[in-house]
Amino acid sequence: MEEPVDTATAILASAAVLLRERTFDDISYRVLADEVGISERTIYRQYPTRPHLLAALSNWIEQSCFPLPPFVTVPDFRAAVHERFRAFDASPAYAHVGARASAISPTLDTEPAYITRAIEAMLDVAAPTLNQRDRRRIAASLRYFSSAMFWARLRTGFDLDAGEICDAFDRAVDTVLAKLPSSATWAQP
Amino acid sequence: MTVPELSGTQEAILAAYAELIEEVGSDDVSYRVIARRAGIAERTVFRNYPTRVDLLLATAAWIEATLFARAESQSIFDVPLAIRDAMLRYDERPELAHVVAETAMRGVNGAAPSPGRAQLERLLDTEVPSLDAAQRTAIVAALSHLDSVGTWVTFRREFGMDRRDIADAAAWAAEAVLDTIRDRVVSPTFRSR
């Protein structure tokens, strides 16, 4: 992790350190302020509510700990998601912050995540003549099965490890892609 | 889905909190305001829900069991219909939908992320008992993932879908998951109950 450059980033870096020993709910602004060495008021100025802090922390963790490998083809997409699920499994506290942040009521004008755009671009190349309705159905399904939420649900609700989660993900992707007309240029699994 | 037995006071607290969440969000509501809305003393709220996390998890469970309650599917092949209905219901209460979605993503300290798992397994085992363990897990996990508020949140946030599009895409995905087992059903005549 690189050196924090400004107050906002320093707060997030300290919150990430605190996450190793406690849950997000147990990181009060008081505790966080002491950890950074600034006043509580300064934190409120940067992150007026806890949802703001959660969203920013999740973005920061995403960038520093879970960078998404680029992908263009379906096999690369699968490999990229596998790598992320394994990284989530290695840092579950961080991954849960990502899953939580993706579930809260958006605090700012949230842009779709990079992975959403990448999935849409992948579909444009693989199935250029596919109608809009089916394209969105497929993109949305692939996006949702590749999410931190999927990892979190299978880990907590089904007690699965990264390998098993990757397997369930692959099977879900198979069922979605099987819906495509045969003209699509998928590398078949 | 298990509904914890609630006292009248507890139910009043959770309903008051849910109302306030829809008005001002979950972050800014004090126990004092909740108590006033429920028409009880603040210490009664504390006695029932010592921490904000206790209160939030209980409220999320209550919302799932009441406002977002669904008819039980009689067949695994009815699940896409239930998912479609559920998406429309989430869309009527967006703030509460986000709260339920978020509390299910907290890991072991949070709400159960797959409350419908046991029922899906029961239906699948009755209707399609020939699956191997990995297939069974994958289907139950995929359906249970789709049959959750997370679907509504993700499709809305990431794709800007409206309620019809969300309901359509979620039910479509569930049908896709069922495609692999559509004609592997045990005939009802041979099914022992």
Side-chain angles (χ1 to χ4, degrees):
Chain A
M1 284 173 215
E2 59 261 38
E3 284 292 301
V5 285
D6 53 44
T7 311
T9 313
I11 294 169
L12 301 179
S14 292
V17 169
L18 290 169
L19 267 182
R20 293 189 194 138
E21 59 202 34
R22 58 183 92 191
T23 69
F24 179 76
D25 300 296
D26 294 327
I27 302 174
S28 67
Y29 277 26
R30 173 78 268 146
V31 167
L32 192 49
D34 289 347
E35 178 79 16
V36 191
I38 55 177
S39 74
E40 227 176 309
R41 203 153 53 93
T42 310
I43 300 186
Y44 275 105
R45 209 175 302 134
Q46 297 289 341
Y47 306 108
T49 70
R50 294 186 63 82
H52 286 91
L53 177 64
L54 181 62
L57 180 57
S58 164
N59 284 340
W60 186 82
I61 287 174
E62 182 93 1
Q63 280 161 20
S64 13
C65 310
F66 305 131
L68 181 72
F71 59 87
V72 178
T73 65
V74 173
D76 288 351
F77 164 63
R78 288 180 193 262
V81 174
H82 289 183
E83 193 175 322
R84 251 158 93 79
F85 284 166
R86 279 190 218 102
F88 289 167
D89 238 41
S91 310
Y94 285 3
H96 277 297
V97 165
R100 281 179 69 167
S102 66
I104 56 174
S105 193
T107 45
L108 312 159
D109 299 333
T110 34
E111 289 277 299
Y114 165 69
I115 187 170
T116 305
R117 292 288 174 248
I119 288 172
E120 288 176 325
M122 173 179 80
L123 286 173
D124 287 344
V125 172
T129 55
L130 188 66
N131 70 84
Q132 264 321 312
R133 170 71 53 193
D134 285 322
R135 178 185 305 276
R136 287 179 93 195
R137 286 166 168 166
I138 292 171
S141 307
L142 294 181
R143 170 67 176 86
Y144 190 45
F145 286 125
S146 59
S147 63
M149 283 190 191
F150 186 69
W151 171 86
R153 193 179 317 277
L154 268 54
R155 179 184 168 96
T156 312
F158 291 82
D159 290 318
L160 302 185
D161 64 26
E164 294 163 322
I165 295 173
C166 290
D167 181 61
F169 164 75
D170 280 338
R171 287 166 188 268
V173 170
D174 289 345
T175 61
V176 170
L177 297 187
K179 288 288 225 183
L180 272 172
S182 49
S183 58
T185 58
W186 302 104
Q188 284 304 313
Chain B
M1 214 168 286
T2 50
V3 185
E5 204 60 52
L6 295 174
S7 70
T9 306
Q10 287 174 328
E11 189 144 9
I13 294 169
L14 304 182
Y17 188 36
E19 245 178 62
L20 289 160
I21 288 172
E22 290 196 292
E23 289 166 26
V24 295
S26 61
D27 200 52
D28 300 327
V29 185
S30 72
Y31 271 38
R32 200 161 59 86
V33 174
I34 295 167
R36 190 177 303 160
R37 180 66 64 98
I40 55 173
E42 193 177 343
R43 65 171 183 283
T44 310
V45 183
F46 274 108
R47 203 159 48 222
N48 282 282
Y49 302 105
T51 73
R52 295 190 66 86
V53 174
D54 296 331
L55 176 63
L56 189 66
L57 293 182
T59 305
W62 178 81
I63 294 166
E64 277 248 82
T66 56
L67 304 174
F68 296 158
R70 61 201 59 188
E72 277 214 353
S73 297
Q74 296 304 308
S75 159
I76 194 89
F77 298 96
D78 293 346
V79 169
L81 282 72
I83 291 177
R84 183 185 297 272
D85 287 346
M87 295 303 142
L88 298 174
R89 220 164 305 127
Y90 301 142
D91 207 85
E92 284 164 17
R93 316 296 283 268
E95 279 304 320
L96 300 184
H98 281 110
V99 166
V100 172
E102 190 268 321
T103 50
M105 290 296 134
R106 295 183 174 203
V108 288
N109 302 314
S114 302
R117 176 184 175 184
Q119 205 230 340
L120 290 171
E121 287 175 344
R122 207 159 45 237
L123 293 174
L124 198 57
D125 292 345
T126 310
E127 295 178 272
V128 195
S130 59
L131 302 176
D132 67 42
Q135 277 177 309
R136 179 177 178 270
T137 303
I139 289 170
V140 172
L143 289 179
S144 142
H145 189 49
L146 291 167
D147 191 5
S148 76
V149 202
T151 311
W152 177 84
V153 172
T154 304
F155 288 10
R156 184 167 122 123
R157 177 192 287 208
E158 296 295 320
F159 296 90
M161 290 186 186
D162 66 17
R163 59 199 289 274
R164 282 171 70 222
D165 287 344
I166 295 172
D168 166 76
W172 178 91
E175 297 284 10
V177 170
L178 293 172
D179 275 351
T180 50
I181 56 165
R182 241 171 243 293
D183 59 355
R184 294 183 60 179
V185 173
V186 174
S187 154
T189 4
F190 299 112
R191 209 179 280 162
S192 55
R193 280 196 50 94

